[in-house]
């Protein structure tokens, strides 16, 4: 326990890892910054923290840490062999780097953290982390976990890089990768990059539920800019926009699970497509501009017009969002349905619905609101 993360730091000065938690149970860190840890070796695990149990961060930061391996490295900031829980905390500027590696082999993963169990975030951020493989595959620039739960949180500016690139040595998941499932609520994933799945990737046989969240401005250099999901996908009241994929396509969402349910969700202004994949698509009251050639037909009431989105900025609340412009076709065109929440992505004070019906997407337009954040 410390006096505040801005007032006290434990600094490894790039000499060694900061904490080795060599037992089960939970390593709890409160009101502290853990920084400057560096662990090097043939296999490097955990630049600042390596826990054989769980880690809990409360109002704390783990930043500027590095795991540097010859053949393999994971968890630039944290490795937790059980769970990681974050309350009002951040993982920032951490790095995983592998100097040699093996071609066509996963050698580097989890720039900010690698968690064998669940990574749970509340009002927290994972930003500016990097995973780099000189040779081989790199995975999850921000964080890798078996499952994710993120509420009122942000993944931004993370990257996964495989220097040699190509079909055998590529990077996956710039922002986050879940091996089983994700649940996002009022969360933003933006400005992350990788060869495939620039924003997020969900694999295996779990589920993906995304509620009132924004996926924006992520880049998949080879393909799939925003979200790649190999699981059943459920997107409610969310916005996926301005993501870009490469020659393999899939700009916004690529869904490879059996089913995709979309409700009151905007998929627009992504390149080259807004939605692609071959699941059965159900739901209603959505706006999807460009549908890929592999996609199943959209529900009959799907709007394909321009939603008139503003830039990704702080429109109020704890996460950034895309506002709807006055006159947008998405205004009053949504449905509460199974969503039925009293506020939009920005949280308390930003009522939903305003007007005749809920708006499509994560943002609720209110013509009578004068100020959203501070004094403008």
């Amino acid at each position: 326990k410390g006096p505040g993360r801005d007032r006290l730091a434990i600094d490894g000065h790039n000499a060694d890892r900061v904490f080795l938690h060599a037992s089960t149970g939970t390593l709890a860190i409160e009101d502290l910054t853990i920084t400057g840890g560096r662990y090097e070796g043939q296999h490097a695990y955990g630049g600042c923290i390596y826990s054989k149990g769980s880690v809990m961060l409360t109002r704390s930061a783990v930043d500027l840490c590095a795991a540097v391996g010859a053949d393999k490295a994971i968890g630039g900031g944290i490795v937790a062999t059980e769970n990681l829980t974050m309350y009002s905390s951040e993982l920032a500027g951490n790095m995983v780097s592998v100097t040699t590696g093996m071609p066509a082999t996963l050698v580097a993963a989890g720039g900010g953290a690698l968690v064998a169990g669940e990574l749970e975030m509340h009002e927290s951020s994972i930003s500016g982390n990097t995973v780099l493989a000189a040779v081989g595959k790199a995975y999850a620039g921000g964080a890798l976990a078996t499952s994710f739960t993120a509420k009122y949180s942000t993944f931004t500016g993370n990257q996964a890089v495989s220097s040699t690139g190509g079909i055998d040595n590529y990077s996956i998941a710039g922002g986050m990768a879940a091996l089983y499932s994700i649940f996002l609520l009022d969360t933003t994933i933006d400005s992350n990059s990788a060869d495939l799945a620039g924003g997020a990737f969900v694999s295996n046989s779990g589920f993906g539920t995304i509620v009132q969240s924004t996926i924006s401005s992520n880049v998949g250099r080879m393909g799939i800019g925003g979200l790649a999901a190999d699981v059943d996908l459920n997107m409610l009241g969310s916005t996926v926009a301005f993501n870009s994929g490469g020659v393999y396509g899939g700009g916004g969402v690529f869904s490879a699970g059996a089913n995709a349910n979309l409700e009151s969700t905007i998929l627009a202004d992504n390149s080259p497509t807004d939605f692609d994949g071959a699941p059965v698509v159900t739901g209603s009251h959505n706006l999807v501009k460009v549908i890929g050639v592999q996609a199943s037909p959209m529900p009959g009431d799907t709007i394909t017009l321009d939603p008139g989105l503003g830039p990704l900025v702080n429109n109020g609340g704890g996460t950034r969002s895309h506002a709807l412009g006055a006159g947008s076709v998405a205004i009053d065109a949504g449905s509460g349905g199974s969503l039925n929440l009293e506020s939009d992505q920005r949280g308390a004070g930003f009522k939903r619905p305003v007007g005749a019906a809920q708006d499509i997407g994560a943002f609720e337009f209110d013509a009578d609101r004068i100020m959203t954040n501070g004094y403008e």
Side-chain angles (χ1 to χ4, degrees):
K1 294 184 179 182
R5 72 186 191 195
D6 296 329
R7 298 180 62 191
L8 181 63
I10 301 177
D11 193 337
H13 286 288
N14 295 313
D16 201 352
R17 180 191 290 129
V18 177
F19 280 112
L20 172 62
H21 176 219
S23 182
T24 58
T26 299
L27 170 64
I29 297 170
E30 299 182 12
D31 299 300
L32 277 170
T33 288
I34 312 300
T35 188
R38 183 180 180 90
Y39 191 83
E40 297 189 31
Q42 194 76 15
H43 296 168
Y45 299 161
C48 264
I49 298 171
Y50 177 56
S51 170
K52 293 185 178 179
S54 295
V55 177
M56 180 180 292
L57 303 177
T58 304
R59 298 178 300 277
S60 295
V62 177
D63 60 25
L64 304 177
C65 310
V68 180
D71 294 339
K72 183 179 291 185
I74 60 174
I78 298 172
V79 168
T81 59
E82 293 184 6
N83 304 312
L84 170 62
T85 307
M86 300 171 61
Y87 297 101
S88 302
S89 295
E90 69 174 20
L91 302 176
N94 303 290
M95 173 177 279
V96 164
S97 177
V98 173
T99 55
T100 55
M102 293 289 291
T105 302
L106 177 60
V107 297
L114 187 142
V115 183
E118 182 179 17
L119 198 164
E120 184 175 351
M121 302 169 62
H122 300 263
E123 298 180 319
S124 295
S125 67
I126 295 179
S127 64
N129 302 283
T130 299
V131 58
L132 172 63
V135 177
K137 298 178 183 179
Y139 207 76
L144 168 65
T146 296
S147 60
F148 274 88
T149 297
K151 300 179 180 180
Y152 329 113
S153 295
T154 298
F155 297 80
T156 184
N158 305 285
Q159 60 177 336
V161 179
S162 177
S163 294
T164 50
I167 195 167
D168 292 323
N169 299 288
Y170 51 82
S171 61
I172 300 178
M176 53 101 88
L179 299 180
Y180 181 73
S181 63
I182 61 169
F183 175 80
L184 307 180
L185 171 66
D186 296 353
T187 287
T188 295
I189 301 175
D190 76 279
S191 308
N192 306 284
S193 64
D195 290 331
L196 298 171
F201 175 59
V202 191
S203 69
N204 221 317
S205 57
F207 62 88
T209 299
I210 299 173
V211 181
Q212 282 196 165
S213 294
T214 296
I215 301 175
S216 172
S217 308
N218 302 285
V219 176
R221 291 179 289 269
M222 293 169 60
I224 312 174
L227 168 67
D230 284 341
V231 297
D232 285 354
L233 184 62
N234 197 27
M235 299 190 71
L236 309 174
S238 294
T239 299
V240 181
F242 304 108
N243 303 282
S244 61
V247 294
Y248 295 104
V253 174
F254 189 94
S255 179
N259 301 283
N261 180 60
L262 309 177
E263 185 175 317
S264 294
T265 287
I266 292 174
L267 306 178
D269 301 316
N270 304 284
S271 175
T273 61
D274 295 308
F275 181 88
D276 211 343
V280 175
V281 182
T282 59
S284 65
H285 297 82
N286 300 295
L287 189 156
V288 184
K289 281 180 67 175
V290 179
I291 301 166
V293 295
Q294 298 182 58
S296 296
M298 293 290 112
D301 65 348
T302 300
I303 298 171
T304 58
L305 302 175
D306 188 341
L309 296 172
L312 185 70
V313 296
N314 186 347
N315 291 302
T319 56
R320 291 181 294 164
S321 58
H322 289 290
L324 295 174
S328 168
V329 295
I331 295 173
D332 293 346
S335 170
S338 58
L339 195 60
N340 197 28
L341 297 177
E342 296 181 354
S343 59
D344 67 11
Q345 177 178 330
R346 296 168 291 174
F350 296 91
K351 183 182 176 182
R352 163 166 271 183
V354 174
Q358 176 182 302
D359 299 344
I360 305 176
F363 180 96
E364 187 77 11
F365 179 81
D366 185 352
D368 291 333
R369 181 176 291 279
I370 298 172
M371 292 176 287
T372 57
N373 192 55
Y375 296 97
E376 298 175 346

